[in-house]
Amino acid sequence: MGIKFDVFDARDLLAFPGGDNNTDTVFGGIHFNTTTLKYWNYTYYSNQTLSNGSECWLTFPPYEPQLLLTNGSFVNATSCYNSILPIRSRGYTGIGFAVFFSLALVLTVTLLAKHGALYLPKERRFYPIGRRWQWYWACFVCACALVSLFTNVDIDRYYLQELPIIVSVFFWFLMCQGTLALTWEAVRHWGSWLERQYVDPNPFICRDGDRRSQIEFWMPLWFYFWLWMNFFLVVPRSWNFASYQRSPDQTAEYAIPSATGGRFKAAAFCLVIAWLTIVFSLRHSIKHYKPRNRGIFNRALGLIRAVPLRFILIIPLSLALIAYQAFISFVWEFSIIRFDGVVSVIFAWGFGPSLLILYIQITYGYASPNEDKELLRQRRERGDMINRELGFVKKPAWWRRVRGEHLGTLRDKILSNVNEVGGERGVGRRVEDDMERHAREEAARNALDDNGSIELSSIHHANPSANPRVDRAGARAVPTSLPYTGKNERRHTERVVQTAASVLFPSDIETQRAQRAAFLMEIGPAPPPYTDQQRRESDAGHPVTARRTNSTSTTNSFNGPPQQVRSMLDI
């Protein structure tokens, strides 16, 4: 068993009750030897307990010891630090508040999942954890409040105060710090959300490194500095003073001076500075990210209108919680450290503001959408507005389904686009210029006019004695290219349609292009790539047949006569 040092005033000491003789005493009808009790330094106190500084026992029925051994131990004794009393108003009220805090914890976790989800890529200026901190602190507040509230049951039931009162008060102070941090993160993130909406249409509207950004960088550090000052003034200390309420004299000498000491007063002052930082952060966000008003009256009215309703509620509530912490550092009567304090004040003023702040935040969380989704909605609205200004009408949702654009994968869509522009020419092939295309189309029209067909055979076997087609300038229209003979049926169909259209709807530009082609070809086409043998056969009047050889010999090219260049088309 751990050693406990019970602190009692000398005025709490009582003499052992008289017994049969000078060495006999009676507790609850049981006789004990006073010599053995004095040998082991047992002292009888006014609260009907027997203690020697390390162990404490109850002496009233039905918890009195049954036997005292010579080694100073008792048989069938009950410790002073047991839950033997019934639950009173503090315990019942604590259980009721704990139910509401438990429900708030469950709802907060669901809101953390809702508002913490990402639907847009992460941005360097707006980290996802920034929007989640207010819900993290809300979970922290709920957890601390539950521990503090459930231990109120043992505060009522313990005969002498010990660990329960220490745990309850310790976690209550942590709950106060978490509540203020929750309020700060709600206000800070609201300003960050305003900035995100402000810069989303134009990311360069705010300069980096200006006074605004410097203030937004240092404000969180300033706030948490004072919050941690409150933590270091309150938490790292001996908390046994809270349990020194075992008698009126002990309470007056140990508990009250410690509970109303300078450290608790200074800690409350640190929270006041942190609260003023929250107000300044709210004013800063409204100044830079809300429309400005001119005039003192209009500016004050605009400031009130710009503050969200939840901040109008939670900022005064957080101030009320700070006021209670400062108040109990001066007045012991209503202090939460007092185990038999005023229950209505302790819970209404000590736990009420935190509970209301939590449920205000929960209401806001369910009423507001996820910020990424809201940003996407705003972008769609801006896009629709720009489309209306430009006169662009967006197709309805059923348009893609009617056209069949919703079918197939991205690869299929790319393949369809390639087929539309034609995929016959490979990479590295020379692109056909406009002059060549028009000359080829004119040749196809000439073949269609002469033979009624655009086949290649009609061009090769046309009767040379027939009257050639003569343009307005008297030049003969010579076909400069062959019609399309590829395997792409779609392109073949397009060429036929184009040829028919040119016949039905002739134009002067086509005639000019044909004249230009005839002028380029008036001195004759380029000689065919005949070999020496083929040239001799052609001169003899024999039909020329193209021969293909795999030989790499250059003898013929050296022995044959040099080619006579007649125009640039021969090269």
Side-chain angles (χ1 to χ4, degrees):
M1 182 177 181
I3 298 177
K4 298 182 177 64
F5 296 94
D6 298 321
V7 180
F8 285 99
D9 191 85
R11 290 168 292 184
D12 297 328
L13 299 179
L14 298 177
F16 290 114
D20 295 341
N21 49 47
N22 295 334
T23 61
D24 184 67
T25 183
V26 179
F27 295 109
I30 307 297
H31 294 266
F32 297 94
N33 192 306
T34 56
T35 304
T36 305
L37 292 174
K38 292 179 181 179
Y39 178 80
W40 292 104
N41 296 323
Y42 277 103
T43 306
Y44 185 60
Y45 293 95
S46 58
N47 56 9
Q48 298 182 0
T49 60
L50 198 63
S51 175
N52 63 351
S54 60
E55 294 181 350
C56 181
W57 308 102
L58 301 179
T59 60
F60 55 87
Y63 306 106
E64 72 277 3
Q66 301 299 317
L67 179 64
L68 175 63
L69 303 180
T70 56
N71 59 2
S73 59
F74 289 91
V75 177
N76 292 336
T78 303
S79 175
C80 301
Y81 310 105
N82 273 344
S83 303
I84 62 174
L85 301 178
I87 301 177
R88 295 190 293 273
S89 59
R90 181 163 182 165
Y92 285 121
T93 309
I95 293 174
F97 271 77
V99 172
F100 289 102
F101 275 100
S102 301
L103 179 60
L105 178 60
V106 175
L107 298 177
T108 301
V109 172
T110 61
L111 291 174
L112 175 60
K114 173 185 176 181
H115 291 274
L118 297 179
Y119 298 93
L120 288 174
K122 297 180 181 178
E123 300 181 33
R124 186 174 178 270
R125 297 177 62 177
F126 308 101
Y127 294 99
I129 196 173
R131 73 177 78 168
R132 300 169 184 168
W133 267 118
Q134 55 183 325
W135 309 112
Y136 290 152
W137 280 115
C139 294
F140 177 81
V141 170
C142 292
C144 293
L146 288 175
V147 175
S148 179
L149 289 168
F150 279 121
T151 52
N152 282 284
V153 175
D154 286 332
I155 292 176
D156 282 347
R157 299 196 62 195
Y158 265 51
Y159 183 76
L160 295 182
Q161 297 302 317
E162 196 200 20
L163 185 61
I165 186 68
I166 296 175
V167 173
S168 178
V169 174
F170 178 83
F171 279 93
W172 180 83
F173 277 99
L174 292 181
M175 185 198 70
C176 291
Q177 298 168 11
T179 303
L180 198 63
L182 165 62
T183 307
W184 157 256
E185 287 298 336
V187 174
R188 181 206 60 80
H189 176 65
W190 179 74
S192 177
W193 170 234
L194 289 181
E195 180 186 5
R196 190 179 182 188
Q197 298 176 88
Y198 188 70
V199 304
D200 187 65
N202 182 10
F204 305 100
I205 194 172
C206 295
R207 295 188 297 112
D208 293 335
D210 57 350
R211 183 174 181 272
R212 172 197 59 83
S213 60
Q214 292 296 324
I215 291 177
E216 292 176 357
F217 174 80
W218 289 106
M219 262 197 309
L221 302 178
W222 175 260
F223 171 83
Y224 281 108
F225 168 76
W226 292 105
L227 190 69
W228 283 110
M229 286 297 296
N230 175 270
F231 176 85
F232 287 119
L233 286 172
V234 171
V235 174
R237 61 177 301 164
S238 174
W239 285 86
N240 289 328
F241 73 91
S243 63
Y244 292 159
Q245 303 181 56
R246 296 155 186 162
S247 66
D249 296 330
Q250 187 189 55
T251 302
E253 186 173 354
Y254 295 99
I256 295 178
S258 298
T260 57
R263 293 186 62 176
F264 286 106
K265 294 181 175 67
F269 175 75
C270 293
L271 290 185
V272 172
I273 298 180
W275 184 85
L276 293 176
T277 306
I278 296 175
V279 177
F280 177 80
S281 176
L282 181 65
R283 176 68 181 89
H284 172 84
S285 300
I286 295 174
K287 176 182 177 182
H288 290 280
Y289 307 120
K290 285 290 186 178
R292 298 186 179 182
N293 299 294
R294 296 184 179 274
I296 298 177
F297 178 77
N298 291 333
R299 291 172 64 182
L301 185 61
L303 177 64
I304 296 174
R305 291 179 177 177
V307 178
L309 177 60
R310 62 174 177 136
F311 293 157
I312 297 177
L313 298 176
I314 68 175
I315 291 179
L317 287 173
S318 61
L319 181 61
L321 187 63
I322 297 172
Y324 179 70
Q325 187 175 143
F327 180 71
I328 62 176
S329 65
F330 291 93
V331 180
W332 166 258
E333 182 180 358
F334 301 99
S335 177
I336 193 174
I337 305 176
R338 181 180 175 183
F339 80 97
D340 57 346
V342 182
V343 175
S344 58
V345 175
I346 291 175
F347 286 94
W349 200 359
F351 291 93
S354 298
L355 185 62
L356 291 177
I357 289 174
L358 285 173
Y359 276 95
I360 291 172
Q361 282 290 107
I362 290 171
T363 305
Y364 152 77
Y366 279 105
S368 61
N370 181 279
E371 294 179 2
D372 284 355
K373 292 184 177 180
E374 176 65 17
L375 205 62
L376 290 173
R377 185 192 64 81
Q378 294 179 9
R379 291 177 181 178
R380 286 194 299 269
E381 288 184 354
R382 287 198 301 269
D384 294 340
M385 182 180 63
I386 294 173
N387 292 339
R388 286 194 300 270
E389 293 176 355
L390 297 176
F392 175 77
V393 179
K394 188 177 180 181
K395 301 295 188 300
W398 50 264
W399 183 264
R400 294 176 66 253
R401 294 185 176 274
V402 171
R403 294 172 57 90
E405 297 178 357
H406 66 290
L407 302 176
T409 61
L410 180 61
R411 182 183 181 89
D412 298 334
K413 295 180 180 179
I414 296 175
L415 182 59
S416 175
N417 294 336
V418 172
N419 293 333
E420 287 183 3
V421 300
E424 293 299 326
R425 290 181 177 270
V427 178
R429 294 287 300 275
R430 184 175 64 84
V431 180
E432 183 183 39
D433 56 16
D434 293 340
M435 192 62 222
E436 292 176 338
R437 187 182 73 254
H438 290 305
R440 173 174 46 79
E441 293 174 355
E442 181 65 20
R445 284 194 296 271
N446 293 338
L448 184 62
D449 292 342
D450 296 338
N451 303 311
S453 174
I454 60 171
E455 296 297 333
L456 182 62
S457 59
S458 63
I459 298 177
H460 284 295
H461 300 288
N463 187 5
S465 62
N467 294 330
R469 182 181 178 183
V470 181
D471 56 13
R472 295 180 181 178
R476 180 182 179 184
V478 180
T480 58
S481 62
L482 300 178
Y484 177 74
T485 58
K487 298 180 180 180
N488 193 323
E489 295 296 334
R490 180 172 182 173
R491 179 173 293 183
H492 182 77
T493 305
E494 290 177 354
R495 296 294 172 81
V496 174
V497 173
Q498 291 175 1
T499 303
S502 63
V503 173
L504 295 176
F505 307 101
S507 61
D508 293 340
I509 188 171
E510 297 296 337
T511 305
Q512 296 175 5
R513 288 169 181 169
Q515 292 176 2
R516 178 62 179 168
F519 174 76
L520 293 176
M521 300 293 293
E522 63 182 359
I523 59 176
Y530 291 162
T531 62
D532 295 340
Q533 183 179 357
Q534 291 174 334
R535 187 179 293 109
R536 289 191 296 270
E537 293 178 356
S538 176
D539 295 340
H542 299 289
V544 179
T545 57
R547 294 182 178 86
R548 182 176 181 180
T549 176
N550 294 329
S551 174
T552 58
S553 175
T554 58
T555 305
N556 294 336
S557 61
F558 284 115
N559 297 333
Q563 180 181 359
Q564 183 179 2
V565 178
R566 292 175 294 177
S567 68
M568 290 299 296
L569 296 177
D570 297 342
I571 300 177

